[in-house]
Amino acid sequence: MADQNVPPRRPRDDRGWDGRQHHTSDGYGDHNPSASYGHDSPHTYQGGYPQADPREQYADGYAHAGHPAPAPRGPQWVGPEGLGRPAPARPAGTGLPTLDDDDEPGRKVGRRKAIVALGGTAAVVAGGAALAMTPQFRSLFGDEAAADATGSTVTDGTAARPSGQQPSTVRTYTEQNESYMGSRAGEALKKNSPTGGRSFSGPAAAAAETTVTVKTVLAKDPILHLARRATFGATPAVVADIKKLGIDGWIRGQLDPDKLEPSKAELKLAELPTQKLSVQQLRDQRDTLNDQGAQPEREMVDATIARQIWSKRQLFEVMVDFWNDFLHVAADFDGGEVYRNSFDKDVVRAHALGSYPEMLVAANKHPALLIYLNQKDSRKDAINENLARENLELYSVGVDGGYKEPDVRQAALLQTGRGVQDGKYVFRPEQHYVGKVKILTFTHANNSSDPKKAEAAIDAYITYIALHPSTAKYVAQSLATRFVSDTPPKSLVDRLAKTYSTNNGMIKPVLMTLFSSSEFWAAVGQKVRRPMEYLAATYRTLGVSPDASPKHNNGDSKRTPYARGLRQIHDKLRELGQYPMGQPTPDGYPDVYVAWTSAGTMVNGWNEAGELLAGYRTVFTYTAPEKLVAKPPATAGAYVDALAQRLVNQKLTAREKNLVLGVAGVPASAKVDATFNGAITAVARAILASPQHHLR
């Protein structure tokens, strides 16, 4: 029997449509408003699964033998020629000046150094000089610094699979977040993490009884802490809702998202036409859509971005993003244009606050996952192990979960027969291996190729690994990392894992245990926003409206201003290196700060905040920066305090306030008008570069 763990590049399903082979970039600034619908930058990932060993392809997620851990992610431009090309130059005079103005004559404090000093504090207050010690950060000032070596280099020294051994004992890579946290920066973060903890009768009780002892510049206000962690960014409306409903009432409401009315922005998603189409309709209309330049999988990402920024169902959207990293299927895989939207709706969103075992079972019957990991090519006489391996390593027990190579092979045998035909999931009994299997402690006679019996055997196995104690711990660790700390206390992980197992993989009880734990409320300032989270939070705190500005001229564009605006955010996130479902490999994005310490990305994000403040893109409506504070104080220092309260819900430290005043070039006592004597945009941008906005 063939052992084709790494199959040849798979054929193109059963269709002739390539939904992205003719597109050109419309650029982030959308300088060609007359471009036809959907003419945007092409995709970065054009295949099913990498031809080489998948682990050798996970450059962003694993540390390999003889090499340091992956370099921090930096800004990347995805244009007509793919990844790694220089960003196209913006037309002269458009937008705000960048932060590279340190040599401006007469300026005592360079804006770049001032804002970098301000924003770079985020890592320090999150747990030591994590950012300050990175070469990317120091390179902003021209300093030379040696890179830090991270991760494990343990290897079995052979190219063959380590049959009979547990992969975690011989692998040349580590679990993704672990590979980053093994660095010196990661060790610095660990020193400032809360330890120990206990569970209370409910979230409000836990919040009231927990004392925050970690070092942080964030206000130790439980309402703000909850708003930052359970949403994509605190807004005045969210804070007001929590105060009105109480912590317990607000969380209960968020855990029942169907009862929350859709926002205006969600209703406007009807302007993304491919999102209303079924898999069959996408297949039937593929030629028309291709001629129009429509990209369904990119519209799905656009819609996800809209929900992250404007949906009232914020905790639900946070969990959708969590599962899109945990049970990851890239948006841009070869087939995503037909199947990925259905996977988002019928698998991830259908079960995001429900049962993880049911989600994993549904995923293993969905064409998107079967194509993405080549399961549709696996048959009893030519086994493909990709899905079987990732079901164990990434989607359930984890690489340290106790499985061995024979378990992967047995699982791959059991899962044969599942495939895709005419755009639908099918089971092919003639391709299913029949015979007894044993995976971990799961055994099954698997003695029939009858579809009902064979399917039941596979589903029983998938449910078994979804409820395995190692899976409970893996899910718990991942949730605690997302909501609490890059180095979550073992006490919390154990408590969450126990709740997961007791409730048969139901997610709401696990979240209630998390929010009722002192570890959650003690971890103020222990998470730093990733690029996507930073941008969404910036849109939210600035109160950007999804309606077009009155001065917008849509020209003869076939897309609505809203659709174009969402695509512009999408393209910016691609440039920053993180966007929904954007990781091409099945490990999803890392969820720890030290994976995202690119100084270029930080500066790019700060400049984007400046673009929003200036209202440069008229596809949305913005609050003028001089109107962010209803009644601006007459002195510069008091104005900075009021503006910080409006944008980050608290005052800045004295040092940070002085840095902001330095950006404006005025002392605290100086008299200023509502425009901060013309510097209001620069001042507001500097506040949005502060650790108070970077931390969540």
Side-chain angles (χ1 to χ4, degrees):
M1 180 176 296
D3 180 359
Q4 298 181 344
N5 179 67
V6 184
R9 187 184 182 92
R10 69 172 187 80
R12 291 192 51 79
D13 195 23
D14 56 352
R15 64 200 194 292
W17 173 40
D18 182 343
R20 49 191 173 280
Q21 59 189 354
H22 306 298
H23 307 310
T24 59
S25 174
D26 71 355
Y28 176 49
D30 206 356
H31 301 299
N32 180 20
S34 62
S36 62
Y37 179 89
H39 277 209
D40 294 283
S41 54
H43 291 271
T44 63
Y45 189 59
Q46 293 285 341
Y49 203 59
Q51 295 184 49
D53 184 331
R55 264 121 231 106
E56 297 301 322
Q57 301 292 325
Y58 291 175
D60 287 331
Y62 299 101
H64 294 269
H67 300 282
R73 294 160 182 271
Q76 51 184 327
W77 176 256
V78 184
E81 297 178 326
L83 278 169
R85 304 298 181 183
R90 295 286 298 271
T94 59
L96 291 167
T98 67
L99 296 179
D100 297 316
D101 59 358
D102 282 348
D103 297 326
E104 183 179 328
R107 177 167 294 281
K108 295 181 179 180
V109 181
R111 287 198 184 111
R112 180 177 65 177
K113 289 186 179 180
I115 297 183
V116 164
L118 186 66
T121 311
V124 179
V125 299
L131 177 61
M133 65 176 61
T134 62
Q136 290 79 10
F137 180 77
R138 281 189 270 179
S139 68
L140 283 175
F141 301 99
D143 296 338
E144 296 295 330
D148 294 333
T150 66
S152 170
T153 58
V154 177
T155 177
D156 63 348
T158 70
R161 288 291 179 189
S163 180
Q165 300 180 59
Q166 180 174 317
S168 64
T169 64
V170 294
R171 68 186 188 276
T172 58
Y173 50 89
T174 62
E175 187 274 330
Q176 182 165 224
N177 289 335
E178 173 195 340
S179 69
Y180 288 104
M181 296 309 293
S183 65
R184 284 197 294 143
E187 289 299 323
L189 289 173
K190 293 176 185 178
K191 294 178 181 178
N192 194 38
S193 296
T195 58
R198 54 172 291 200
S199 184
F200 291 83
S201 59
E209 295 295 326
T210 299
T211 300
V212 179
T213 60
V214 295
K215 296 178 181 179
T216 178
V217 297
L218 288 189
K220 298 176 181 180
D221 181 338
I223 290 177
L224 293 178
H225 179 60
L226 178 61
R228 292 186 182 104
R229 294 294 174 89
T231 77
F232 278 94
T235 65
V238 167
V239 172
D241 281 346
I242 299 175
K243 290 180 178 178
K244 176 183 176 181
L245 300 172
I247 288 173
D248 288 348
W250 186 84
I251 291 175
R252 282 196 302 269
Q254 288 290 309
L255 290 176
D256 198 1
D258 291 341
K259 292 183 179 179
L260 298 174
E261 63 180 7
S263 64
K264 178 194 295 185
E266 289 175 293
L267 296 175
K268 285 172 68 67
L269 291 177
E271 298 176 24
L272 305 180
T274 65
Q275 296 306 285
K276 297 177 289 187
L277 303 180
S278 66
V279 168
Q280 190 59 49
Q281 288 172 319
L282 288 170
R283 287 167 51 81
D284 292 343
Q285 299 177 33
R286 59 194 181 193
D287 292 335
T288 300
L289 293 170
N290 196 39
D291 290 342
Q292 293 175 344
Q295 298 168 296
E297 75 283 30
R298 295 198 67 170
E299 281 198 348
M300 175 198 62
V301 173
D302 298 342
T304 300
I305 292 168
R307 293 184 177 108
Q308 290 178 353
I309 295 173
W310 288 294
S311 176
K312 297 178 183 179
R313 304 159 182 169
Q314 280 289 295
L315 180 55
F316 177 76
E317 291 302 324
V318 169
M319 287 304 298
V320 167
D321 184 59
F322 169 82
W323 291 120
N324 273 325
D325 278 336
F326 191 92
L327 181 54
H328 181 66
V329 174
D332 294 345
F333 80 96
D334 190 4
E337 69 278 5
V338 171
Y339 302 106
R340 190 55 179 83
N341 187 47
S342 171
F343 189 86
D344 182 66
K345 181 179 67 175
D346 300 326
V347 177
V348 176
R349 292 181 177 275
H351 302 285
L353 290 174
S355 162
Y356 181 61
E358 291 180 8
M359 182 190 292
L360 190 58
V361 167
N364 272 266
K365 293 182 180 179
H366 196 283
L369 186 62
L370 299 180
I371 294 172
Y372 180 55
L373 293 183
N374 307 97
Q375 183 62 32
K376 80 177 196 69
D377 299 323
S378 186
R379 57 186 189 273
K380 62 184 180 182
D381 60 343
I383 305 300
N384 183 294
E385 294 181 357
N386 286 340
L387 179 56
R389 183 174 300 281
E390 306 310 357
N391 270 335
L392 287 165
E393 180 174 310
L394 296 177
Y395 305 153
S396 65
V397 300
V399 73
D400 288 311
Y403 73 90
K404 300 178 180 179
E405 286 300 310
D407 295 311
V408 174
R409 293 172 181 143
Q410 292 278 290
L413 288 170
L414 176 62
Q415 292 176 225
T416 52
R418 293 190 160 180
V420 180
Q421 183 175 340
D422 297 328
K424 299 178 181 179
Y425 165 73
V426 296
F427 185 81
R428 299 186 175 105
E430 73 281 1
Q431 295 182 6
H432 177 65
Y433 167 83
V434 175
K436 184 178 180 180
V437 293
K438 182 179 185 298
I439 307 130
L440 297 168
T441 62
F442 174 86
T443 59
H444 201 285
N446 186 39
N447 56 6
S448 175
S449 60
D450 175 80
K452 289 185 178 180
K453 294 181 179 179
E455 288 260 64
I458 302 173
D459 287 350
Y461 161 67
I462 297 298
T463 301
Y464 160 81
I465 58 172
L467 291 174
H468 194 279
S470 293
T471 304
K473 180 180 178 181
Y474 190 25
V475 171
Q477 179 77 29
S478 300
L479 282 170
T481 300
R482 171 60 59 95
F483 283 96
V484 177
S485 166
D486 290 0
T487 56
K490 183 178 182 298
S491 59
L492 176 63
V493 173
D494 290 346
R495 203 178 306 128
L496 298 181
K498 182 178 180 180
T499 301
Y500 180 95
S501 296
T502 301
N503 290 275
N504 295 317
M506 297 299 293
I507 300 305
K508 287 184 183 180
V510 179
L511 290 176
M512 283 301 294
T513 297
L514 187 151
F515 292 131
S516 300
S517 297
S518 62
E519 294 93 335
F520 171 79
W521 300 99
V524 175
Q526 295 301 291
K527 291 294 295 184
V528 181
R529 286 175 172 140
R530 297 176 295 177
M532 181 177 73
E533 296 158 356
Y534 176 85
L535 201 63
T538 302
Y539 271 80
R540 286 173 61 78
T541 198
L542 290 176
V544 177
S545 165
D547 295 322
S549 168
K551 59 184 179 181
H552 176 73
N553 179 7
N554 208 43
D556 60 351
S557 175
K558 296 181 181 180
R559 288 180 291 176
T560 67
Y562 183 54
R564 292 173 59 208
L566 293 177
R567 184 58 55 85
Q568 289 172 8
I569 303 174
H570 180 166
D571 286 345
K572 170 55 71 173
L573 289 174
R574 284 177 177 260
E575 185 181 340
L576 293 175
Q578 186 197 17
Y579 59 95
M581 297 155 279
Q583 180 83 324
T585 48
D587 48 347
Y589 288 118
D591 195 17
V592 292
Y593 168 71
V594 291
W596 301 95
T597 55
S598 163
T601 296
M602 293 176 70
V603 173
N604 201 344
W606 301 337
N607 282 329
E608 171 62 10
E611 298 264 326
L612 299 183
L613 286 160
Y616 173 72
R617 282 174 292 282
T618 58
V619 288
F620 299 129
T621 299
Y622 308 86
T623 301
E626 63 269 19
K627 295 183 179 180
L628 287 169
V629 176
K631 296 180 179 180
T635 60
Y639 199 167
V640 169
D641 288 340
L643 192 57
Q645 191 68 45
R646 167 62 181 82
L647 295 178
V648 297
N649 297 289
Q650 65 177 87
K651 293 181 180 180
L652 305 180
T653 66
R655 175 180 178 274
E656 292 153 2
K657 182 177 176 179
N658 287 333
L659 285 168
V660 172
L661 290 169
V663 168
V666 297
S669 59
K671 295 291 185 180
V672 293
D673 59 17
T675 71
F676 219 100
N677 297 347
I680 185 61
T681 297
V683 169
R685 177 174 63 175
I687 292 173
L688 293 175
S690 71
Q692 284 83 347
H693 189 57
H694 274 284
L695 296 171
R696 64 171 174 87

